[in-house]
Amino acid sequence: MAATSCSAPSGRSPVRWRRHSACPRPGWGPSAGGWRPSYNIAPTHTVPVVRAVGEGAAAGGAVGEGDPTDPAAAPGVGESPVAAVGPARWGYPAPWASGGKVLFNARGETVFDKRSFAGSEPCLVVMNGWYEWFRPGGGSGGASQPYLTTEPGEGYREGDGEGDDAAPLLVVAGLCRTVAREGAGTPGAAGTDAAPAGRDGSGDGSGSGAAPATELRMTVVTTASAEPVGWLHDRMPRLLTPAEARDWLAGTPGDERLRDLAATPPHRPGLRSRPVSTAVGNVGNNDPGLLRPVTDGDTPR
């Protein structure tokens, strides 16, 4: 998930919901149509996040048993709190900058002490992998090569069609916060979108043509990189196990458990990184071909 400038992780990721439906029960995801698959998500895009909502959520109530990103484990409506999937725009508005600059990641070691992230609540960001750019030798010379990091798992095979190229889901620690939306209440304002909430767009689905007054923003928590991907970048998303994901959703920002989770690199020996096409550097490219590995004999698109 490297930014195009390769300055920090968490700037690109593919996520495909076609295989992992997010809404078989009330309280999970959009009511119809599902999420559109995306293979090149970038900051400012609208993405699905999992939040604990309902009575007890803000107070750190437990979020059920099992994997909170597994729709089959989701509490039903009326149970409290509920792990719910909904849309959030990637990146907090940078308070010191203009021109739409955003804080698309947050250092886990210091995030709960930074004013930029005050007022946040925990959320989970779900993806199939992330892109990172790597320059051999680490210097300014030579060409950079993008890599896609996934966690294939037992029995997973690459490139056998759409069903098999959707790598198992990764669950990442995130924070979210409701902010005032630019152009709120102005019909046709820049940044408005008629797409329903929860799809690839930031509209509220009302069809009114006016932007809502507020919107949910999210940022990805990162830690020091860990093997086997330490060679690729010195930072990585804070991947969570199902038990850690429950603790993260049930926590209160700044408590000791969340501080410990945010600052501790994950132990994920199954991660694998493969070179992919440089076409991922253009956010206008968004197709399954971006996931295919390239070799020294390939000509990247």
Side-chain angles (χ1 to χ4, degrees), residues 121-158:
E121 64 177 272
C123 68
L124 303 177
V125 185
V126 186
M127 65 187 70
N128 300 94
W130 73 92
Y131 299 114
E132 189 65 81
W133 290 76
F134 178 75
R135 190 187 303 275
S140 58
S144 293
Q145 171 65 51
Y147 283 76
L148 171 62
T149 296
T150 61
E151 193 171 40
E154 186 176 356
Y156 169 74
R157 296 178 299 171
E158 295 175 2

Side-chain angles (χ1 to χ4, degrees), residues 180-245:
R181 181 172 180 166
E182 294 181 8
T186 304
T192 61
D193 195 319
R199 290 173 175 260
D200 186 15
S202 51
D204 64 357
S206 66
S208 65
T214 61
E215 64 179 348
L216 188 69
R217 296 290 192 106
M218 76 84 178
T219 189
V220 172
V221 175
T222 68
T223 68
S225 195
E227 296 304 329
V229 296
W231 62 273
L232 186 58
H233 200 281
D234 61 354
R235 305 291 297 178
M236 67 180 291
R238 195 353 177 149
L239 305 179
L240 299 171
T241 66
E244 289 174 334

Side-chain angles (χ1 to χ4, degrees), residues 25-271:
R25 296 185 59 176
W28 278 79
S31 59
W35 300 90
R36 290 199 293 263
S38 183
Y39 306 90
N40 197 5
I41 298 172
T44 74
H45 288 184
T46 297
V47 299
V49 298
V50 180
R51 303 165 62 200
V53 299
E55 183 182 352
V63 190
E65 297 297 330
D67 183 347
T69 65
D70 177 5
V77 169
E79 298 179 31
S80 171
V82 174
V85 177
R89 194 175 176 194
W90 188 358
Y92 282 19
W96 61 85
S98 59
K101 292 184 179 180
V102 296
L103 304 174
F104 55 83
N105 59 27
R107 294 180 66 92
E109 299 87 342
T110 59
V111 61
F112 296 118
D113 300 314
K114 298 292 186 181
R115 293 180 60 185
S116 298
F117 304 105
S120 299
E121 64 177 272
C123 68
L124 303 177
V125 185
V126 186
M127 65 187 70
N128 300 94
W130 73 92
Y131 299 114
E132 189 65 81
W133 290 76
F134 178 75
R135 190 187 303 275
S140 58
S144 293
Q145 171 65 51
Y147 283 76
L148 171 62
T149 296
T150 61
E151 193 171 40
E154 186 176 356
Y156 169 74
R157 296 178 299 171
E158 295 175 2
D160 287 345
E162 184 179 340
D164 285 316
D165 80 354
L169 290 177
L170 300 174
V171 181
V172 176
L175 294 173
C176 59
R177 184 175 68 197
T178 299
V179 303
R181 181 172 180 166
E182 294 181 8
T186 304
T192 61
D193 195 319
R199 290 173 175 260
D200 186 15
S202 51
D204 64 357
S206 66
S208 65
T214 61
E215 64 179 348
L216 188 69
R217 296 290 192 106
M218 76 84 178
T219 189
V220 172
V221 175
T222 68
T223 68
S225 195
E227 296 304 329
V229 296
W231 62 273
L232 186 58
H233 200 281
D234 61 354
R235 305 291 297 178
M236 67 180 291
R238 195 353 177 149
L239 305 179
L240 299 171
T241 66
E244 289 174 334
R246 290 196 304 272
D247 287 350
W248 185 261
L249 277 190
T252 301
D255 70 25
E256 288 305 313
R257 178 57 174 154
L258 261 60
R259 284 180 178 271
D260 180 63
L261 285 172
T264 305
H267 177 67
R268 304 298 279 263
L271 291 173

